Amino acid sequence: MTVVATTRRLVLRRFAAGDAAAFAAINADPLVTRYVGGPLSRDASDALLGRFLAEQPYARWAVERDGVLLGFCGLGRHPVAGGDVEIGWRLASAVWGQGLATEAATAVRDLALGTYGLRRLVAVIHPDNGASVRVAEKIGLAYERDAALPDGTRVVVLATRA
């Protein structure tokens, strides 16, 4: 297990093949996936995990607490982000409201802007997903523009302040 960062309550680490079942359960939850296209089948979740395992130089990392997979938080590329690096997160609905997404996203932001030397981060979020918008704002991102995904879904782009 390769640990990327730790916080007061969380461990962020590289995903492993053994995370597939727990990851699939998170991705099958309609609450968790409401703003990202809906629940994923096991095959679709496994494919997403495969992409996360292959991502370089940035990655989405497993977020765990006390050895239990809670979801992911990390960096990647997004078609709406242009050339910018996107920060994103997805946690199991059972742990919402505890500040864990903000805690994980703060650690990833610090890695991105510090260790990795990035000058700018963006978050691409469905405008109705107020909880994720608040997480982005808490870690220092601000509304930049409206955009649309290739399928026409409206999103907002928040970015680090210049």
Side-chain angles (χ1 to χ4, degrees), residues 56-115:
Q56 293 298 326
Y58 309 113
R60 275 88 165 185
W61 298 293
V63 175
E64 68 175 42
R65 180 175 58 186
D66 301 325
V68 175
L69 181 70
L70 303 180
F72 73 81
C73 187
L75 305 170
R77 301 291 182 183
H78 193 288
V80 173
D84 292 319
V85 175
E86 182 204 23
I87 184 170
W89 48 85
R90 180 180 303 167
L91 296 182
S93 60
V95 300
W96 290 357
Q98 300 175 33
L100 298 174
T102 301
E103 190 172 324
T106 298
V108 170
R109 178 209 58 205
D110 292 349
L111 275 171
L113 300 177
T115 304

Side-chain angles (χ1 to χ4, degrees), residues 21 34 36 46 53 68 86 89 97 99 114 116 120 129 133 149 158:
R34 177 178 178 191
V36 292
D46 288 350
L53 289 168
V68 175
E86 182 204 23
W89 48 85
Y116 296 151
R120 178 175 156 85
N129 190 346
V133 169
L149 300 178
L158 293 94

Side-chain angles (χ1 to χ4, degrees), residues 121-147:
L121 285 177
V122 301
V124 179
I125 302 172
H126 191 286
D128 295 338
N129 190 346
S132 277
V133 169
R134 284 188 294 282
V135 169
E137 291 171 343
K138 286 178 185 177
I139 66 164
L141 279 64
Y143 172 84
E144 182 175 87
R145 63 186 165 91
D146 292 323

